[in-house]
Amino acid sequence: MTTRLIARCANGLVVALLLPASLMAQGEARINGRVLNSEGGLPLAGALVTIPGSSHSVNTTVDGRYTLRGVPAGTVTIRAVKIGYTPKLVTGIVVPQSGVVTQDVTLSPRAVELSEISVTAAVEKGSVNSALDEQRNSVGIVNAISREQIARSPDGDAAAAIQRVSGATVQDGKYVFVRGLGDRYTQASLNGARIPSPEPEKKIVPLDLFPSQLLEGISTSKTFTPDQPGDFAGASVNIRTREFSGRRFTGFSLSTGFNTAVTGKTGFFAPSTGRDLLALGATDRALPSLLRATDFTQQLPSAQVNSLIGSLRNVWSPATRTGTPNGGYGMTLGGAIPTGSSQLSYLLSGTYSYAQETKAGQRRALAQIGSNGQAEEVDRYDGSTGRSTVLWGGIANFGVTLGTQSKLSLNTTYNRTMDNEGRRESGSSENLALPFEITRLRYVERSIASGQLAMHQEFGGRHLLDYGVTFSKVARREPDRSEIVYDRSTATPTWFGFANEGAVRTFADLGEHSLEANANWQFFLGAPSAGRSVKVGGIYRSTDRDAVNTAYSLSLVRPLPEAVTSLAPEQIFDGRLTGTGESNLRITPLAAGGSYTASDKLVAGYLMTTFPITPALELVTGARIERSQVQVDSRSTAGEPSTATPAYTDVLPSVALNLKLGTRTSLRLSGTQTLSRPEYRELSPILFREVIGFDNVKGNPELKRALIQNYDLRWEFYPHRGEVVSLGLFAKKFTDPIERVYQGTSGTRIISYVNAASADNYGVELELRKGLGTLASVLQPFDVFTNATVMKSTIHIDPTSGSVTNAARKMVGQAPYVVNAGITWTHPSGNASATALFNRVGERITEAGETPLPDVIEQPRNVLDLSLRFPVAGALSARLDGKNLLDTPYRINQGAVIRESYRAGRVIGIGFSWTQ
């Protein structure tokens, strides 16, 4: 039934995509593209584009786009003109019969009268490189990845793609660390608007939610400017979904592949329901209504207890089966419909992927100080994890140009993901002095929806007005996580039924929605080409979160024969022990867990000026005021309430100097202040814990926001098109940074959060992207690129804070270095390419060690990926990808103790795409 449902959805989407295309006009030769400011990279509205000697002429719209229709086939010249800019002729544009040619044009501001410039089409195409243009023309320090770069890599989502950015690392395949700072210091937005997070302990969005096929590009701003939100220190990441490029197209893609450690191999996988393949299986695992309505403060009769236990799904064990291949498909349609003096553009795209993953040879343990004063291993468990994943989503983006001065845009996004995991491991508990077998089933479903309505207007050639509203909604459901423990101290393993941790079912649900409205007005002092401007704006954002986590323990009331307790869990809980009149089992809510709600209101306003002091020196300065009011109301499973209400008004100044040392070289210097606020979950004192052998985590409602002073210096050199050499220095000073630490307690260890006294972070960044054709003609098709960041941090924790960790150490998440490197070969036609990518992250702290234990360190891994693109026939092309080809083991150490280790396998994929 699931297969039929998927097929129907696919057929419906195909029809929806192809129907508009069939209504488009056919057989018309056109030239389209954009006219951009060569120095600012901004679109130029109202520029006149003509074909000299003919009647073909058109003015660019507010986004700089133009379309010349009915162009005769052959070699054509176009001319672009705008007041305040040097006119340009672009020659040698080859227009096929009934075809479409895309030709962008850059115009240079002119301070004095200059003769018209003439260039060939090939040269002009090379002058527009979206990623480097954004980096080169930004007022701050920015690194960007374009859709073209993503397409030449095997990266399947935004998290994988952003690892190619200088200084960026990704933890757990989802969370971005920039410049060695934890994910709390990075904020993410979608098409310029903040999006809420589906993670219970984080406000940053896991970037694996965004399929790479839906992306136009990713930019990371490493320096703060007043027109950006001020709550980041590592980077502000903006994910841009695809938009209509000016040329109508229809595309389809299909891929398959395998994991060398999964496909065709026997392993443990979680049982699935009929709707898991659509990431809709949470409903089938929902908390039973009987449990939800039960008042556990009263003594429950045996009959009611038996009914409650019987209402739970009798699913406890992973299934042993053979791993299947991976697969996916996608469809995209873009076009434009002329509507009188306006134009409606649209882009519809959908993608679906399914994969199986593993943690093979999995090992985990804890550490304690031995008699020799060194860390030694305790509570070691060995096993494996099998996981099935689904990621699907789509975008529907529309734009309407209203004359040449206004554009209305509607961008909508919906993505959904599912992880269904089965894990089995064996080991021993030091405290209980018993060997155990632990089995866990875990299903996590996440979704994100975003709708953004935005207006961009220009007035009189000197005023730019942007305003809009964005609604975002996310959900995370982790229903019916099951964990069961068997005692292996006897010849036949038996259920460990007299402990609260012997059999646990956990139900977690999180929903968050956000409404954001913003307005920005930029006006130029004199001609826009002079670059003198003032920008003012404001934002209002309201976010509400509701998180529930409830855990229930199933245990024995009285001893039962070994013949019963040695049965498989599906037999123990199949009803044989909960019949009429039976009183063998009990069900009780665990103290660890509970619920919390968060309400977050933010109001901000800013003023920013851009002022060229001399033709070579530009000053960008201003300040932002942010007023934040947060209320987190918590209630533990036992009913204990708690409220945290942090509120702050902060002024965040920013000063930057950009110096042009030549036509291709610049120097950037900036000093800013930003902040970092506690996550909602960190303000909730609810205790969360894992089954045997894991740590307890508890929030701290007394946390304060941290203030960060940021200093940056970067030299940039752009030798030729698509090339860059840059060297940067950065330094950060933290006041009251928030750290995850161990608390000094007797018995069970507790992790919590405290404000450290201070911290420092500084480092060096190097980036190189260079074509090898200057070395030898035979190397013309090759480009090399690399970026490396070396950094260091020190944090100082108040010894009276209750922390029992090292009081002077690196910050959690800090890596001493990050290296990315690669080489690309491109066929002269541009239709084929091959790319090799390498990544290595230095050892970094994942947890601060409990004194006198050392810190918990994630070890470096060498990661090599390969990607090959080549044409097949006509509009059909193919790709061959290899990921994690070295299969270096993941390993986390605490001194000499291996805290966690496993291999993920090599992933090989092949795909086909058709674009017309």
Side-chain angles (χ1 to χ4, degrees):
M1 180 171 178
T2 302
T3 304
R4 290 197 301 270
L5 180 59
I6 294 175
R8 290 174 183 173
C9 292
N11 291 336
L13 185 56
V14 170
V15 173
L17 292 176
L18 292 181
L19 182 58
S22 66
L23 302 178
M24 297 290 293
Q26 301 292 323
E28 181 185 52
R30 302 192 305 274
I31 302 175
N32 59 25
R34 304 179 76 189
V35 178
L36 307 171
N37 184 335
S38 64
E39 293 189 0
L42 297 174
L44 295 179
L48 180 64
V49 181
T50 64
I51 297 178
S54 76
S55 60
H56 294 85
S57 67
V58 67
N59 288 100
T60 57
T61 59
V62 70
D63 55 358
R65 296 194 182 278
Y66 73 91
T67 300
L68 292 167
R69 302 180 183 278
V71 178
T75 302
V76 175
T77 296
I78 64 172
R79 184 173 188 260
V81 180
K82 183 175 173 63
I83 296 175
Y85 295 82
T86 302
K88 179 177 283 187
L89 278 174
V90 181
T91 64
I93 303 172
V94 179
V95 180
Q97 188 73 35
S98 302
V100 181
V101 174
T102 299
Q103 180 66 60
D104 293 338
V105 182
T106 59
L107 297 181
S108 301
R110 58 179 182 184
V112 297
E113 194 70 28
L114 295 175
S115 302
E116 183 171 87
I117 296 175
S118 178
V119 299
T120 65
V123 170
E124 188 63 8
K125 279 181 182 291
S127 69
V128 182
N129 183 302
S130 59
L132 288 184
D133 277 355
E134 183 174 357
Q135 178 173 318
R136 182 176 186 174
N137 299 314
S138 65
V139 296
I141 294 177
V142 171
N143 288 100
I145 304 173
S146 67
R147 179 159 56 92
E148 179 184 14
Q149 290 169 299
I150 296 173
R152 290 184 177 181
S153 74
D155 301 331
D157 54 55
I162 203 170
Q163 291 184 99
R164 316 302 179 187
V165 170
S166 175
T169 62
V170 174
Q171 191 173 52
D172 299 331
K174 304 174 185 178
Y175 310 115
V176 180
F177 287 45
V178 180
R179 288 178 166 177
L181 298 173
D183 55 78
R184 73 168 62 253
Y185 298 110
T186 301
Q187 69 93 5
S189 58
L190 181 66
N191 296 317
R194 182 73 62 86
I195 44 180
S197 171
E199 297 302 304
E201 298 182 6
K202 304 174 186 292
K203 282 196 292 187
I204 187 172
V205 178
L207 298 187
D208 65 329
L209 269 171
F210 300 94
S212 59
Q213 297 95 322
L214 304 183
L215 304 182
E216 184 69 26
I218 306 173
S219 61
T220 56
S221 299
K222 296 181 179 178
T223 56
F224 165 70
T225 53
D227 57 345
Q228 296 176 293
D231 55 339
F232 75 92
S236 176
V237 178
N238 184 34
I239 301 167
R240 302 187 306 278
T241 56
R242 294 183 64 177
E243 60 182 15
F244 176 55
S245 63
R247 176 175 181 173
R248 179 176 62 85
F249 64 92
T250 303
F252 300 91
S253 64
L254 181 68
S255 64
T256 187
F258 62 92
N259 183 318
T260 57
V262 180
T263 309
K265 305 290 181 64
T266 301
F268 295 121
F269 292 92
S272 61
T273 70
R275 300 197 296 172
D276 287 3
L277 285 177
L278 294 177
L280 296 171
T283 301
D284 299 325
R285 299 172 170 87
L287 177 67
S289 57
L290 280 177
L291 270 176
R292 185 183 293 110
T294 299
D295 180 7
F296 282 94
T297 63
Q298 307 295 322
Q299 183 70 31
L300 302 181
S302 298
Q304 186 177 1
V305 169
N306 291 338
S307 295
L308 292 174
I309 294 175
S311 69
L312 293 167
R313 295 169 62 244
N314 189 24
V315 179
W316 296 90
S317 306
T320 302
R321 57 184 173 86
T322 302
T324 60
N326 304 329
Y329 63 88
M331 290 172 272
T332 304
L333 172 69
I337 303 174
T339 55
S341 60
S342 302
Q343 177 174 274
L344 169 65
S345 62
Y346 57 90
L347 188 139
L348 310 174
S349 186
T351 181
Y352 175 94
S353 65
Y354 171 82
Q356 289 191 336
E357 303 170 353
T358 188
K359 293 183 178 179
Q362 192 170 14
R363 169 180 172 182
R364 69 175 178 91
L366 296 178
Q368 68 178 16
I369 291 296
S371 57
N372 60 356
Q374 303 296 314
E376 63 179 26
E377 181 183 82
V378 294
D379 294 350
R380 173 175 169 175
Y381 290 85
D382 294 276
S384 65
T385 298
R387 178 189 299 136
S388 299
T389 68
V390 165
L391 172 61
W392 64 268
I395 58 175
N397 293 345
F398 303 90
V400 179
T401 55
L402 308 174
T404 61
Q405 303 298 311
S406 301
K407 181 179 181 180
L408 179 66
S409 301
L410 174 64
N411 296 324
T412 61
T413 302
Y414 184 83
N415 294 325
R416 196 173 191 93
T417 183
M418 176 278 293
D419 298 299
N420 192 17
E421 180 179 288
R423 177 172 175 173
R424 177 169 288 170
E425 57 188 2
S426 299
S428 60
S429 168
E430 181 75 13
N431 287 337
L432 299 174
L434 289 173
F436 289 119
E437 181 178 270
I438 301 176
T439 300
R440 172 187 294 167
L441 300 180
R442 184 173 185 237
Y443 177 93
V444 180
E445 190 175 284
R446 297 172 295 161
S447 65
I448 180 168
S450 175
Q452 181 184 64
L453 186 65
M455 175 68 84
H456 175 75
Q457 293 180 285
E458 296 189 11
F459 303 96
R462 293 172 52 189
H463 299 264
L464 305 178
L465 180 62
D466 293 280
Y467 52 95
V469 61
T470 302
F471 175 79
S472 302
K473 183 178 181 179
V474 298
R476 182 185 189 274
R477 303 180 69 184
E478 187 179 349
D480 204 12
R481 183 174 70 182
S482 68
E483 295 154 322
I484 192 162
V485 181
Y486 273 65
D487 178 359
R488 297 172 55 247
S489 61
T490 59
T492 303
T494 56
W495 175 39
F496 192 58
F498 282 106
N500 279 341
E501 297 177 335
V504 179
R505 304 295 279 261
T506 304
F507 298 84
D509 204 350
L510 181 147
E512 182 174 326
H513 61 269
S514 179
L515 179 66
E516 178 178 308
N518 68 85
N520 304 276
W521 175 38
Q522 182 177 14
F523 57 93
F524 293 90
L525 306 175
S529 57
R532 295 185 296 271
S533 70
V534 176
K535 191 175 183 181
V536 296
I539 185 175
Y540 170 78
R541 184 170 67 243
S542 175
T543 302
D544 293 285
R545 172 182 282 195
D546 192 352
V548 178
N549 187 291
T550 307
Y552 299 92
S553 170
L554 283 69
S555 58
L556 288 169
V557 173
R558 58 186 179 84
L560 294 176
E562 183 178 302
V564 175
T565 57
S566 62
L567 294 172
E570 285 80 8
Q571 293 176 294
I572 292 176
F573 297 102
D574 65 1
R576 68 184 65 194
L577 301 180
T578 55
T580 303
E582 296 280 1
S583 181
N584 297 308
L585 303 175
R586 67 167 61 93
I587 181 169
T588 54
L590 292 176
S595 62
Y596 70 92
T597 61
S599 175
D600 186 350
K601 302 292 188 292
L602 178 75
V603 179
Y606 72 89
L607 170 67
M608 185 174 84
T609 63
T610 303
F611 188 81
I613 300 175
T614 69
L617 182 62
E618 177 184 70
L619 171 66
V620 182
T621 186
R624 184 181 184 92
I625 300 177
E626 291 194 352
R627 171 64 178 175
S628 169
Q629 291 180 291
V630 176
Q631 178 170 328
V632 178
D633 294 309
S634 307
R635 184 173 294 274
S636 69
T637 302
E640 299 175 357
S642 174
T643 298
T645 57
Y648 296 97
T649 300
D650 294 289
V651 178
L652 307 175
S654 171
V655 178
L657 287 171
N658 297 324
L659 175 64
K660 293 183 179 180
L661 302 176
T663 57
R664 296 179 294 173
T665 309
S666 61
L667 188 68
R668 302 178 185 272
L669 174 66
S670 69
T672 66
Q673 178 162 294
T674 56
L675 54 83
S676 174
R677 301 185 181 95
E679 315 296 352
Y680 306 133
R681 172 65 184 85
E682 294 171 352
L683 292 167
S684 174
I686 295 174
L687 186 70
F688 286 83
R689 67 189 172 106
E690 301 280 2
V691 75
I692 293 174
F694 286 79
D695 291 316
N696 294 264
V697 182
K698 186 177 183 180
N700 177 6
E702 302 301 321
L703 287 177
K704 300 179 292 185
R705 61 93 174 88
L707 292 176
I708 307 111
Q709 295 176 349
N710 311 277
Y711 305 96
D712 286 271
L713 174 66
R714 185 156 87 169
W715 171 81
E716 299 174 349
F717 175 54
Y718 298 88
H720 302 94
R721 74 172 186 90
E723 298 181 348
V724 62
V725 181
S726 71
L727 177 65
L729 306 175
F730 64 87
K732 300 177 184 294
K733 175 69 175 179
F734 296 77
T735 302
D736 298 323
I738 300 169
E739 279 285 289
R740 176 183 167 108
V741 299
Y742 282 103
Q743 288 186 329
T745 60
S746 59
T748 304
R749 303 185 310 173
I750 295 179
I751 291 176
S752 188
Y753 304 90
V754 300
N755 287 105
S758 63
D760 302 291
N761 172 256
Y762 51 91
V764 180
E765 290 180 319
L766 171 67
E767 181 179 13
L768 169 67
R769 183 175 291 273
K770 185 74 174 69
L772 299 182
T774 55
L775 302 179
S777 58
V778 70
L779 299 178
Q780 188 67 41
F782 293 91
D783 294 275
V784 295
F785 47 93
T786 184
N787 58 71
T789 304
V790 179
M791 49 215 155
K792 185 176 182 180
S793 67
T794 305
I795 192 161
H796 305 280
I797 298 178
D798 186 344
T800 65
S801 66
S803 165
V804 291
T805 64
N806 187 347
R809 54 168 170 78
K810 294 190 295 185
M811 301 174 72
V812 171
Q814 168 73 62
Y817 63 87
V818 177
V819 177
N820 292 298
I823 183 169
T824 293
W825 168 86
T826 305
H827 190 270
S829 67
N831 293 330
S833 67
T835 301
L837 299 167
F838 173 82
N839 169 261
R840 181 180 172 89
V841 179
E843 61 180 31
R844 59 184 174 188
I845 297 179
T846 59
E847 295 177 13
E850 181 181 6
T851 304
L853 285 169
D855 296 321
V856 181
I857 305 293
E858 181 178 342
Q859 299 301 309
R861 295 182 66 244
N862 295 325
V863 180
L864 178 65
D865 300 331
L866 297 177
S867 185
L868 175 64
R869 305 286 185 273
F870 54 92
V872 177
L876 183 65
S877 61
R879 60 184 292 173
L880 180 65
D881 295 328
K883 298 181 64 176
N884 193 36
L885 294 178
L886 301 178
D887 196 19
T888 307
Y890 292 84
R891 181 168 294 166
I892 297 176
N893 283 33
Q894 189 168 17
V897 175
I898 299 177
R899 288 287 304 268
E900 184 173 12
S901 177
Y902 63 88
R903 289 182 182 270
R906 300 172 177 86
V907 180
I908 308 298
I910 184 169
F912 298 90
S913 60
W914 178 89
T915 303
Q916 186 64 50

